Amino acid sequence: MEICNSYSSSSVDSTKHSASESSVNLSLSLTFPSTSPQRATKQDWPPIKPRLRDTLKVRRRLLQRDYDTCLFVKVYMEGVPIGRKLDLSTFSGYESLLENLSHMFNTSIICGNHRDRKHHVLTYQDTDGDWMMVGDIPWEMFLETVRRLKITKPERC
Amino acid sequence: MNYFPDEVIEHVFDFVTSHKDRNSISLVCKSWFKIERYSRQNVFIGNCYSISPERLLRRFPCFKSLTLKGKPHFADFNLVPHGWGGFVQPWIEALARSRVGLEELRLKRMVVTDEGLELLSRSFVNFKSLVLVSCEGFSTDGLASIASNCRHLRDLDLQENEIDDHRGQWLSCFPETCTSVVTLNFACLEGETNLVALERLVARSPNLRSLKLNRAVPLDALARLMACAPQIVDLGVGSYEDEQDSESCLKLQAAIRKCTSLRSLSGFLEAAPHCLSAFHPVCHNLTSLNLSYAAEIHGSHLIKLIEHCKKLQRLWILDSIGDKGLEVVASTCKELQELRVFPTDLHGGGNTAVTEDGLVAISAGCPKLHSILYFCQQMTNAALITVARNCPNFIRFRLCILEPHKPDHVTSQPLDEGFGAIVQACKNLKRLSVSGLLTDQVFLYIGMFATQLEMLSIAFAGDTDKGMLYVLNGCKKMRKLEIRDSPFGDAALLADVNKYETMRSLWMSSCEVTLGGCKRLARKAPWLNVEIINENDNNRMEENGYEGRQKVDKLYLYRTVVGTRVDAPPFVWIL
């Protein structure tokens, strides 16, 4: 029954616990409450009820799916009836997105910060249904909230 | 009082309702004992194995309501193997054989069967109220029996049970003549629901106050149900998908506005992000809000809802609300008494949704706060000391830091001082759960200051037996002690055997107690049931001669007047 010793600190001087030491032990203990394979699948930590545990498992699966798979959104250029579809998960940030769009639509497209009469401006529709200027919020947050893209004519904004 | 006839004394006793008080008055003298026994209406049994149904009936022949609890608390977290016990069948059979006029049965963590429910429904003419919490072993067929046979059913309240859903027609088993339903909670059922039967039942139940739906009840059905029952006080929303036609949404909004008595809202089991705004018109009256299953709803929408809930007394929420969200709660919900913040990320992925800052904000903003359950990734002693200063009125304080052994993240010190401040300031503290890096010192504080403490949960804490001894010696009112993964052993277990007679139960799992120690305890205290739960190797424990060194995986002991139970499965060894 050596299993239970993997977490108890019976012989350890507690003042010696450094942050890094604890975190190494903990990353193990967090996912596998003991080294026994039977115990590892038991899922007894953290102490939450089975119903909540199941709800969160489903949520995590959905989130994983969102992160792992593609994030295709429709892109329209104002004045052009037929749109394109673009996988946003392939871009690392706003710069690569703009570069790619400019190439795709064969025109120069910029974010909202530096507007002038010559360049198209990229806008997006968010989960609330509102049309917003691209570039204001962090990229990761943008990915969570973007639903579709629209490239607007210069004078519109 | 001796000069009064029994009827007068009995009438006075009618005003004494709490179990503790009734137990006290029954100890005053023989005459009071006798009067009290015949007049006791509500019986509470905290551990179904502490007494037998026969002895219960001998003592209290006239009760109407019975509350029974079975498995130990840690069974909620998968620590008690399936089949351990807590069977209600012998109780129902004994009650059915007797002439007791049972009207209410409340069970927690017990195993219930369809046969038992059928017997229950047929045996008691005036049966009115069935409340099952965290139970298992039955199906919707059992519910059908209750619906069919209990003519005066008032409450059917199913909270977090594991029910085998046969997708049958249990709802249509309520006869057309049944108009007495006050509480109907079937949120934990996973299968389809007969919406027509449900709507008809709700429509003919003018006294319906509490309705909690399961995920199979869609939005348009919800609107119709609320329109039928505008008197509803407590509502549990089932499924709440986003993409609805505007007509359904308008109907729902109109129905919600009519529910002026609505005080409690829960559910949102499958909830799309925008759905909460339909409930904004009734928020100003809400006193209880449980969004702990609404995992799909973003923190910002939760915050928008809470900003309207100025009268909230109870809030159960997920940590996706964030520290910023808790600051909104602190500035909005000045009547808040109970807060529970549950984790969304179980794998410690570095998501710092709520931290010590959120807890401090709540403690500063909510002067009436007395109960808290808080899951978080990190904590500091300074924060806990501040919380203790802000809120000396805690009755229940449960803090769960998700990473075991995690120290104060600023100072890297154990959290002894923080919890010490809590127990010192909160003179009425009855329930405490500790977590994070803790040495024996925190238990010294608990033993010294937590004089009213009745329930203590310990996980991954302490250094030596001294820790447990401080608690056993100091906390005179301790009733339930549950310990896991902590280095407490035989010396602590055996130091004061008589202590366990003053407690309901002790649970120790993955600690340092040995088989030899447990055997010694069982010999010294024959009025205890000392159970060793050992799922992995059923008989290996007996054969090995080195009992003194053989560690026990799970120990559960409890006082009892009826000796060893006869329904224990093979993996439970009662010493």
Side-chain angles (χ1 to χ4, degrees):
Chain A
M1 286 283 194
E2 288 303 300
I3 310 162
C4 32
N5 284 330
S6 64
Y7 296 114
S8 53
S9 49
S10 44
S11 54
V12 176
D13 177 358
S14 60
T15 57
K16 287 206 189 118
H17 277 277
S18 67
S20 53
E21 238 176 59
S22 319
S23 58
V24 166
N25 290 337
L26 298 167
S27 54
L28 285 175
S29 58
L30 194 59
T31 45
F32 300 102
S34 86
T35 53
S36 151
Q38 287 126 314
R39 288 281 310 273
T41 55
K42 279 293 167 57
Q43 309 203 332
D44 50 39
W45 187 265
I48 57 173
K49 294 194 180 158
R51 201 149 283 269
L52 178 60
R53 195 178 291 278
D54 290 342
T55 305
L56 295 178
K57 260 197 282 210
V58 170
R59 178 179 180 268
R60 184 179 168 82
R61 259 203 302 278
L62 288 173
L63 286 178
Q64 292 278 49
R65 217 167 52 216
D66 287 345
Y67 291 145
D68 294 345
T69 62
C70 341
L71 192 59
F72 275 104
V73 294
K74 292 181 189 168
V75 189
Y76 283 92
M77 167 101 106
E78 201 171 354
V80 179
I82 307 292
R84 302 291 299 269
K85 259 231 166 133
L86 202 63
D87 181 2
L88 293 181
S89 64
T90 60
F91 302 113
S92 53
Y94 289 122
E95 271 182 41
S96 59
L97 170 65
L98 284 172
E99 206 183 300
N100 208 286
L101 278 175
S102 299
H103 193 254
M104 198 185 243
F105 287 83
N106 208 14
T107 181
S108 66
I109 303 168
I110 53 162
C111 278
N113 297 335
H114 320 285
R115 295 201 291 278
D116 63 19
R117 302 239 145 199
K118 284 185 245 150
H119 302 282
H120 284 77
V121 176
L122 186 59
T123 62
Y124 72 102
Q125 188 183 37
D126 69 2
T127 49
D128 285 332
D130 303 318
W131 285 97
M132 315 289 289
M133 212 64 98
V134 164
D136 289 331
I137 56 176
W139 176 250
E140 288 76 29
M141 206 184 282
F142 170 70
L143 287 181
E144 274 177 34
T145 187
V146 64
R147 288 293 162 260
R148 46 171 54 183
L149 294 170
K150 186 156 78 183
I151 303 166
T152 57
K153 292 196 179 127
E155 55 275 16
R156 279 278 241 123
C157 307
Chain B
M1 284 288 266
N2 285 340
Y3 307 114
F4 290 113
D6 287 359
E7 297 77 40
V8 174
I9 299 181
E10 191 182 314
H11 185 62
V12 173
F13 286 0
D14 280 348
F15 294 98
V16 181
T17 48
S18 101
H19 310 289
K20 285 185 188 163
D21 289 343
R22 289 207 70 120
N23 289 343
S24 300
I25 63 178
S26 67
L27 293 173
V28 167
C29 62
K30 278 204 178 115
S31 153
W32 281 30
F33 181 85
K34 184 169 156 227
I35 298 169
E36 199 281 318
R37 354 184 334 238
Y38 283 102
S39 63
R40 175 103 50 137
Q41 300 279 287
N42 308 313
V43 177
F44 171 85
I45 295 176
N47 176 4
C48 65
Y49 290 120
S50 61
I51 192 165
S52 70
E54 290 74 27
R55 284 187 64 157
L56 167 68
L57 287 161
R58 272 207 297 277
R59 166 104 190 253
F60 299 118
C62 306
F63 66 89
K64 295 207 163 43
S65 165
L66 176 63
T67 302
L68 273 174
K69 294 190 182 180
K71 301 180 205 169
H73 174 239
F74 273 176
D76 282 348
F77 316 129
N78 296 330
L79 280 169
V80 176
H82 186 75
W84 171 85
F87 307 107
V88 78
Q89 190 67 14
W91 290 86
I92 298 179
E93 284 172 4
L95 293 173
R97 278 194 299 270
S98 77
R99 272 167 291 136
V100 74
L102 191 70
E103 292 184 10
E104 178 180 72
L105 185 63
R106 309 172 72 99
L107 305 177
K108 189 168 187 179
R109 287 187 214 103
M110 295 200 74
V111 178
V112 182
T113 61
D114 289 341
E115 294 71 36
L117 289 174
E118 159 105 42
L119 181 60
L120 180 70
S121 71
R122 291 192 187 286
S123 307
F124 307 104
V125 169
N126 286 326
F127 191 75
K128 291 190 175 71
S129 176
L130 181 64
V131 181
L132 302 177
V133 181
S134 301
C135 295
E136 46 150 352
F138 60 106
S139 77
T140 45
D141 294 348
L143 300 180
S145 308
I146 297 289
S148 307
N149 304 328
C150 300
R151 310 252 137 218
H152 306 288
L153 193 69
R154 195 184 59 204
D155 308 312
L156 181 59
D157 190 357
L158 309 168
Q159 299 174 29
E160 311 222 10
N161 302 290
E162 297 291 326
I163 306 176
D164 197 8
D165 196 330
H166 290 166
R167 290 165 172 73
Q169 300 301 314
W170 70 277
L171 271 169
S172 51
C173 291
F174 283 99
E176 287 298 315
T177 49
C178 175
T179 58
S180 49
V181 176
V182 173
T183 302
L184 182 63
N185 173 5
F186 58 95
C188 59
L189 283 178
E190 293 294 332
E192 283 154 26
T193 295
N194 183 338
L195 294 174
V196 171
L198 174 62
E199 282 172 40
R200 287 169 66 162
L201 177 62
V202 168
R204 67 174 185 275
S205 303
N207 298 320
L208 189 69
R209 291 284 170 275
S210 172
L211 178 64
K212 292 184 179 162
L213 310 167
N214 72 344
R215 26 177 117 247
V217 180
L219 209 114
D220 53 337
L222 175 65
R224 285 196 298 276
L225 288 166
M226 292 180 78
C228 283
Q231 77 280 12
I232 204 99
V233 172
D234 177 13
L235 177 68
V237 173
S239 171
Y240 204 135
E241 300 295 2
D242 195 14
E243 314 303 333
Q244 294 292 328
D245 59 284
S246 47
E247 199 190 322
S248 279
C249 275
L250 284 173
K251 283 203 182 126
L252 179 65
Q253 283 170 15
I256 289 172
R257 263 191 221 99
K258 292 217 177 74
C259 295
T260 52
S261 302
L262 193 61
R263 296 288 172 274
S264 171
L265 198 56
S266 63
F268 298 96
L269 307 169
E270 272 174 7
H274 309 297
C275 61
L276 292 182
S277 49
F279 285 93
H280 287 180
V282 288
C283 283
H284 62 278
N285 280 329
L286 287 182
T287 56
S288 170
L289 185 58
N290 181 356
L291 295 172
S292 56
Y293 289 110
E296 309 297 328
I297 301 181
H298 197 266
S300 56
H301 296 282
L302 296 174
I303 294 171
K304 276 197 206 135
L305 183 81
I306 288 170
E307 275 167 355
H308 293 85
C309 301
K310 298 208 185 328
K311 290 200 193 151
L312 214 56
Q313 293 172 18
R314 192 167 88 141
L315 176 63
W316 291 21
I317 202 139
L318 291 169
D319 66 4
S320 46
I321 194 176
D323 282 340
K324 287 275 171 276
L326 290 177
E327 281 164 31
V328 173
V329 174
S331 60
T332 308
C333 308
K334 295 302 183 188
E335 303 295 315
L336 196 68
Q337 297 175 22
E338 179 187 331
L339 175 68
R340 294 195 189 188
V341 180
F342 294 95
T344 49
D345 188 350
L346 305 184
H347 301 266
N351 167 37
T352 49
V354 298
T355 68
E356 68 273 21
D357 293 339
L359 184 61
V360 169
I362 291 286
S363 72
C366 304
K368 299 191 181 177
L369 192 67
H370 59 61
S371 290
I372 191 155
L373 170 59
Y374 198 78
F375 284 84
C376 57
Q377 300 275 355
Q378 62 188 45
M379 189 49 58
T380 63
N381 282 311
L384 286 173
I385 292 168
T386 306
V387 168
R389 205 175 37 238
N390 290 339
C391 272
N393 298 321
F394 277 119
I395 301 174
R396 288 170 216 99
F397 188 87
R398 295 155 71 189
L399 180 67
C400 183
I401 300 166
L402 292 166
E403 239 180 271
H405 305 301
K406 184 158 184 175
D408 177 322
H409 75 92
V410 168
T411 65
S412 297
Q413 291 298 300
L415 290 169
D416 300 333
E417 297 307 311
F419 281 104
I422 294 283
V423 293
Q424 198 168 353
C426 302
K427 310 247 187 289
N428 296 321
L429 196 67
K430 288 198 175 151
R431 184 167 180 184
L432 177 66
S433 300
V434 296
S435 58
L437 181 64
L438 296 166
T439 70
D440 288 342
Q441 186 71 10
V442 71
F443 300 112
L444 174 67
Y445 291 141
I446 292 173
M448 226 185 331
F449 296 114
T451 53
Q452 303 301 311
L453 199 63
E454 296 180 7
M455 183 168 178
L456 178 61
S457 307
I458 301 170
F460 307 103
D463 297 323
T464 72
D465 284 328
K466 279 205 250 157
M468 186 169 162
L469 283 168
Y470 290 139
V471 170
L472 289 174
N473 293 334
C475 299
K476 301 292 179 213
K477 297 208 175 171
M478 185 63 67
R479 290 190 301 117
K480 288 182 279 187
L481 182 56
E482 46 185 29
I483 307 172
R484 62 166 289 180
D485 295 280
S486 300
F488 307 133
D490 295 339
L493 182 69
L494 291 161
D496 179 8
V497 158
N498 291 323
K499 173 74 178 171
Y500 304 124
E501 194 175 9
T502 65
M503 289 168 54
R504 184 190 296 174
S505 63
L506 168 68
W507 170 281
M508 293 180 76
S509 59
S510 304
C511 296
E512 303 284 317
V513 292
T514 69
L515 179 58
C518 291
K519 281 190 169 173
R520 275 206 306 281
L521 175 62
R523 266 198 304 274
K524 279 191 185 185
W527 30 264
L528 283 180
N529 273 354
V530 179
E531 297 195 4
I532 311 290
I533 300 165
N534 193 24
E535 327 149 59
N536 298 332
D537 20 37
N538 292 340
N539 297 313
R540 194 154 74 81
M541 295 225 87
E542 281 193 63
E543 289 155 21
N544 197 313
Y546 296 98
E547 292 175 354
R549 281 188 266 143
Q550 197 164 27
K551 296 230 184 74
V552 159
D553 193 25
K554 290 170 185 166
L555 162 67
Y556 180 52
L557 62 87
Y558 50 90
R559 63 183 178 191
T560 178
V561 294
V562 288
T564 307
R565 60 184 175 111
V566 295
D567 59 4
F571 57 81
V572 172
W573 186 15
I574 306 180
L575 300 174

